[in-house]
Amino acid sequence: MLLQIKNLHAGINGKEILRGVNLEVNAGEVHAIMGPNGTGKSTLASVIAGREVFDVTAGEILYNGKDLQKLSIEDRAREGIFLGFQYPVEIPGVSITNFMRTAVNEVRKFKGLDPLPGGDFLRLMEEKKRLVEITSNLTNRSVNEGFSGGEKKKNEIFQMAMLEPLLAILDETDSGLDIDALRIVANGVNKLRRPDNAFVVITHYQRLLDYIIPDFVHVLFEGKIVKSGGKELALELEEKGYDWIKKEQA
Amino acid sequence: MQPNVKELITRERFIDLFEKNRRFLAAHDTTALAGIREKAFDSFSNLGFPDTSMETWRLTDLEESFNRGYDYHLRPMEEVDFQKVFRCNIPHLDTAVIGQLNGWYVSKDVPLMELGNGIIMGSLAEARKKYPQLIEKYYGTMADDTADGFTALNTAFSQDGVFIYVPDNVKSPKPVQLINVIHHEENLFLQPRNLIVVGANAKLSLVHCDDSYNHQASFSNIVTEIHVGENGVMDHYKLQNLNNNSTLISSVFFRMEASASLDSHYISLNGGLLRNNIRVLFNGPHGNANIYGIYLMDRKQHVDNQVFIDHAHPGCTSNETFKGILDENSRAIFNGHVMVRRDATKTDARQSNKNILLTDTARVNSKPFLEIYNDDVKCSHGSTTGQLDQESMFYLRQRGIGEETARMLLMFAFADEIVTKIAIPQLRQRIEDMVKKRLQGELQICEQCVLHCSTPEHPMDFQIDMAKI
């Protein structure tokens, strides 16, 4: 099993947000996590990535059988966990090229590999740029600085393609995208699917799931996964909204 | 070891020294220059050295520096080999290099070079003898001896330093690199005096480096006057890389004639106590001045940037951007004062000071200040001080970049806004290298000039390759 979350409780500043999440993800699977606003979807993503502002108060997260709580943010990333940010951060003064080169080589170093030679790195960049249909000179610009919403999200998928994670968590990657950008982002994800990796797609709307077909759909509500099913669950949610879930829980 | 009383920096010591050497100091003065000297001496006698009771010195206490005790020499101490100074050149940068050792001009072949295009550069002492009228026209007309005891003291004792003259309509074909090296076996007090004249429609790039070659304490009181004629262009760099026992009071006075343009960069990489007094006077309309500063301080280092921009004429623009990264117990002061005089309509003045504090014990005092006596102006000022952005740190680390490397990347990116303004590509590359090394704690004041640490022949080992590819 790639990811196993058991009875996870977590919060921020003493306020509990996740109240006993259970989730299992195997290699080769795509999971969608849906749910109303403010139910803890982004918190779950952040906690898996190791964001330090959140405190895990109970439960455990196992990744390839390892206790993630013992790993730093960067070591989780180097082990193959990738978080696609809902709001990618702008970092003026750091070019995407330097950022990715540093990241790729730090991951390689962790795996005991030599740094990628400059020429190979550039070829890899070009190849991955094509994957997400980045045609502009985006990569010479500072990370996300002055990017449109669509460019930022494409840039997230581009970084994912560069780093080839085993577990990719995409936090509302579809928010703020027009239909063309959505298609490009989804295509990128589909091309990166392999038997040895898995995706957890967090989304508010069913729309993205027309392009990225999930194996499982989960509903996160008030800090717990209250319902799981196949892709048809997403359609049901689209049709009926979340009110019936809320009523079921009441 | 207690320093000898005669070595302490006191008003009395210098008054006594001046009175005993008055004739020697003024030996080559014209009547006018002798007058400036005497007036400056009177000013100094009245003012003495500044102390923390004065508003502009409130946060910079010189007592510890003063009490170290220093030798002061009225003559060059030794015959020096130009190569000793020259070794500090920037690789692959085609510059005309002129040097100072311990405040005295060091001659490569002749003390004063006269180039075919009319450019004169070399020793100020020599220029006083050879071009008294030219010197008289500019010397002492920009520095304000009545306001500050250090400037008055420098003028009173002024002997040597660098003189550069670029005649009207001449564009200096190469940047001039002025290297001021401190290397002495005893604590040393030094007072170089520089005069730079850029004529109308003329152009000059000047890279002015202050370096020390050993760890001996020093106290430099440097005054530089820079005149930029009508439509003239000056690109000026002040690079400070001194040891932790050094105190540097650098006062630069710019006078900008109509439509003159200035970019001035203050890059403070190391030093015990660094004080930059930067004064810009717009002496005609439509001038433009950009003043950039970056300071990277740690241990108990102290940097104090005082910028005064005098918008005395209409239609001038000024822009001050200072950024600093402060580690351990270091301290930075920024005091930006923009004066917009009554007739200075259409003034456009901006001030910005941003700081990153890496520890709880590092401190910043930032005071951008606008004094405006005209309604038809555009002015802005801002100051921020904070830690490294935690969102950015998380983002970088989530991509597998280690915490230390991520910090380094963010700090370098912060500094890069200033470094990127350096117009000379080779110099920018050198400064980028030095900033990286500085941020990694690797920049040393070494026997070899630090500027030699990274050359294409000896590439620097730096794990983040920031080179644009």
Side-chain angles (χ1 to χ4, degrees):
Chain A
M1 197 174 298
L2 191 58
L3 179 72
Q4 188 174 22
I5 299 176
K6 294 186 204 165
N7 187 34
L8 181 67
H9 289 252
I12 187 166
N13 299 329
K15 183 178 167 244
E16 189 169 59
I17 299 171
L18 301 180
R19 302 187 171 99
V21 173
N22 291 290
L23 180 68
E24 294 184 354
V25 178
N26 290 298
E29 294 174 350
V30 173
H31 290 246
I33 296 181
M34 303 183 72
N37 278 332
T39 55
K41 300 191 297 293
S42 289
T43 301
L44 179 61
S46 292
V47 168
I48 297 170
R51 185 165 210 150
E52 285 152 335
V53 292
F54 294 101
D55 299 314
V56 172
T57 49
E60 59 179 351
I61 312 173
L62 300 176
Y63 173 77
N64 274 329
K66 273 183 213 158
D67 180 4
L68 269 193
Q69 290 299 106
K70 295 202 173 93
L71 297 184
S72 65
I73 299 165
E74 53 268 36
D75 279 347
R76 295 180 201 210
R78 292 161 179 169
E79 292 277 6
I81 293 178
F82 179 90
L83 174 62
F85 283 62
Q86 184 178 1
Y87 304 109
V89 183
E90 296 194 10
I91 311 181
V94 178
S95 78
I96 296 184
T97 303
N98 292 325
F99 169 44
M100 273 297 105
R101 200 169 164 193
T102 309
V104 165
N105 284 335
E106 291 231 347
V107 172
R108 288 177 67 88
K109 191 169 148 197
F110 182 77
K111 292 176 177 164
L113 300 170
D114 287 333
L116 205 56
D120 292 356
F121 175 78
L122 284 183
R123 271 189 291 281
L124 185 69
M125 289 251 300
E126 285 309 311
E127 181 196 322
K128 304 301 184 189
K129 267 169 77 176
R130 278 198 296 277
L131 187 85
V132 282
E133 300 177 33
I134 294 177
T135 48
S136 63
N137 220 352
L138 213 61
T139 43
N140 285 336
R141 288 162 59 186
S142 289
V143 177
N144 294 322
E145 192 185 29
F147 285 21
S148 69
E151 283 176 325
K152 281 182 183 171
K153 296 301 173 74
K154 277 206 257 180
N155 187 27
E156 292 294 289
I157 305 302
F158 163 73
Q159 291 173 38
M160 181 172 79
M162 290 294 293
L163 294 165
E164 300 190 322
L166 295 176
L167 175 67
I169 303 155
L170 304 179
D171 188 5
E172 303 216 11
T173 297
D174 52 333
S175 66
L177 292 189
D178 62 31
I179 199 74
D180 289 332
L182 186 72
R183 185 186 47 77
I184 291 168
V185 163
N187 274 347
V189 171
N190 289 330
K191 284 183 199 157
L192 293 169
R193 286 186 68 171
R194 291 192 319 228
D196 65 336
N197 66 17
F199 293 83
V200 176
V201 179
I202 293 172
T203 182
H204 206 66
Y205 303 104
Q206 193 270 338
R207 193 176 64 151
L208 177 67
L209 305 179
D210 287 342
Y211 297 92
I212 303 173
I213 312 294
D215 300 299
F216 300 95
V217 174
H218 310 277
V219 178
L220 190 67
F221 181 70
E222 291 184 345
K224 273 186 205 175
I225 288 178
V226 295
K227 209 165 197 60
S228 294
K231 63 182 179 214
E232 60 287 348
L233 177 57
L235 293 169
E236 198 178 347
L237 289 168
E238 178 77 358
E239 200 181 306
K240 300 205 274 187
Y242 289 107
D243 284 352
W244 63 283
I245 304 262
K246 290 179 189 168
K247 274 180 204 140
E248 265 187 24
Q249 296 301 311
Chain B
M1 197 172 61
Q2 283 297 315
N4 186 317
V5 176
K6 284 184 189 150
E7 298 175 339
L8 295 179
I9 296 184
T10 60
R11 181 197 317 224
E12 293 66 34
R13 174 185 177 186
F14 285 95
I15 288 175
D16 186 48
L17 193 66
F18 184 88
E19 282 172 344
K20 283 186 179 140
N21 294 281
R22 184 175 247 131
R23 197 172 299 169
F24 171 76
L25 287 166
H28 301 287
D29 286 355
T30 59
T31 316
L33 294 189
I36 291 173
R37 191 185 295 281
E38 284 296 330
K39 256 177 88 181
F41 176 65
D42 289 343
S43 273
F44 174 73
S45 304
N46 290 326
L47 292 165
F49 288 105
D51 61 49
T52 52
S53 69
M54 297 167 64
E55 178 55 27
T56 55
W57 288 90
R58 194 167 57 85
L59 300 166
T60 294
D61 188 350
L62 293 168
E63 198 181 332
E64 196 185 324
S65 292
F66 280 161
N67 287 340
R68 284 197 189 111
Y70 301 87
D71 284 359
Y72 183 58
H73 298 272
L74 296 174
R75 291 174 184 80
M77 291 142 276
E78 56 197 324
E79 283 295 314
V80 281
D81 177 1
F82 183 78
Q83 295 305 326
K84 208 169 166 180
V85 179
F86 184 73
R87 67 181 177 175
C88 206
N89 69 334
I90 297 168
H92 308 287
L93 175 58
D94 188 19
T95 54
V97 177
I98 49 180
Q100 282 174 326
L101 182 66
N102 298 327
W104 301 91
Y105 183 80
V106 182
S107 170
K108 193 174 173 186
D109 30 54
V110 287
L112 204 56
M113 291 176 275
E114 290 153 63
L115 310 180
N117 50 14
I119 293 178
I120 303 168
M121 62 186 178
S123 156
L124 178 65
E126 196 64 23
R128 281 188 222 252
K129 290 184 221 161
K130 209 163 170 190
Y131 300 102
Q133 282 162 335
L134 189 59
I135 298 298
E136 253 186 42
K137 190 171 170 195
Y138 297 101
Y139 178 87
T141 60
M142 293 161 257
D144 181 3
D145 292 324
T146 58
D148 184 287
F150 278 113
T151 304
L153 182 69
N154 181 291
T155 304
F157 281 83
S158 156
Q159 290 176 273
D160 202 7
V162 161
F163 173 62
I164 302 173
Y165 176 73
V166 184
D168 291 355
N169 305 310
V170 171
K171 306 207 170 5
S172 171
K174 303 176 184 182
V176 176
Q177 192 186 355
L178 161 56
I179 302 161
N180 179 32
V181 167
I182 304 171
H183 191 185
H184 191 55
E185 299 312 317
E186 305 290 336
N187 292 358
L188 191 67
F189 184 84
L190 53 146
Q191 303 203 80
R193 172 73 171 227
N194 307 307
L195 176 62
I196 320 288
V197 177
V198 180
N201 298 306
K203 189 176 175 198
L204 176 68
S205 262
L206 176 67
V207 183
H208 186 173
C209 309
D210 292 305
D211 290 291
S212 46
Y213 278 1
N214 64 14
H215 293 277
Q216 199 68 39
S218 64
F219 194 119
S220 307
N221 175 29
I222 308 179
V223 172
T224 303
E225 295 180 280
I226 301 182
H227 170 92
V228 187
E230 189 171 341
N231 257 322
V233 176
M234 174 89 192
D235 191 19
H236 174 249
Y237 302 89
K238 196 98 173 70
L239 180 57
Q240 295 163 338
N241 191 25
L242 292 160
N243 70 35
N244 292 324
N245 300 314
S246 53
T247 303
L248 170 66
I249 315 291
S250 161
S251 305
V252 183
F253 298 86
F254 293 98
R255 182 173 59 214
M256 313 279 296
E257 299 299 341
S259 302
S261 173
L262 167 71
D263 275 10
S264 185
H265 311 249
Y266 293 80
I267 300 152
S268 304
L269 293 169
N270 208 80
L273 188 155
L274 301 174
R275 160 95 170 197
N276 285 307
N277 299 316
I278 303 157
R279 295 176 75 94
V280 178
L281 167 66
F282 286 111
N283 203 39
H286 306 296
N288 173 49
N290 296 311
I291 317 288
Y292 303 111
I294 180 81
Y295 41 91
L296 310 171
M297 298 284 120
D298 63 9
R299 285 166 277 198
K300 287 174 71 178
Q301 296 172 352
H302 182 106
V303 63
D304 179 351
N305 287 299
Q306 304 272 333
V307 189
F308 179 73
I309 299 190
D310 192 345
H311 283 265
H313 285 265
C316 296
T317 57
S318 68
N319 167 27
E320 291 165 48
T321 310
F322 278 72
K323 291 181 104 173
I325 301 176
L326 298 152
D327 201 356
E328 298 174 322
N329 297 301
S330 60
R331 175 145 202 206
I333 292 138
F334 173 79
N335 212 331
H337 183 173
V338 168
M339 166 75 86
V340 181
R341 306 229 181 232
R342 221 179 44 178
D343 299 329
T345 50
K346 307 283 181 201
T347 288
D348 187 338
R350 291 156 211 275
Q351 286 177 309
S352 157
N353 176 226
K354 292 180 183 162
N355 297 284
I356 290 179
L357 300 180
L358 298 177
T359 62
D360 293 342
T361 45
R363 281 186 296 166
V364 169
N365 292 80
S366 177
K367 190 175 149 199
F369 177 54
L370 300 164
E371 190 178 351
I372 304 172
Y373 298 101
N374 186 298
D375 291 337
D376 185 15
V377 299
K378 257 199 279 189
C379 293
S380 69
H381 62 115
S383 168
T384 60
T385 296
Q387 279 85 42
L388 282 177
D389 181 43
Q390 290 307 304
E391 289 282 314
S392 303
M393 280 296 288
F394 178 60
Y395 193 72
L396 293 171
R397 293 175 70 193
Q398 209 300 305
R399 300 305 186 238
I401 298 173
E403 191 173 359
E404 262 315 295
T405 308
R407 281 162 60 92
M408 214 61 76
L409 268 172
L410 290 182
M411 288 193 287
F412 185 77
F414 177 81
D416 200 46
E417 188 196 345
I418 302 295
V419 176
T420 194
K421 305 282 191 206
I422 297 173
I424 307 169
Q426 296 90 337
L427 179 65
R428 184 168 59 236
Q429 187 61 47
R430 263 349 98 194
I431 303 292
E432 277 188 11
D433 281 354
M434 290 175 81
V435 168
K436 285 171 202 163
K437 292 191 122 189
R438 180 69 179 86
L439 293 174
Q440 291 199 318
E442 285 174 5
L443 186 59
Q444 298 296 323
I445 306 303
C446 41
E447 286 299 312
Q448 283 82 39
C449 174
V450 288
L451 285 165
H452 270 192
C453 289
S454 172
T455 65
E457 296 80 44
H458 304 281
M460 190 176 58
D461 181 25
F462 187 71
Q463 67 192 85
I464 306 168
D465 186 1
M466 306 289 295
K468 306 272 189 278
I469 52 173

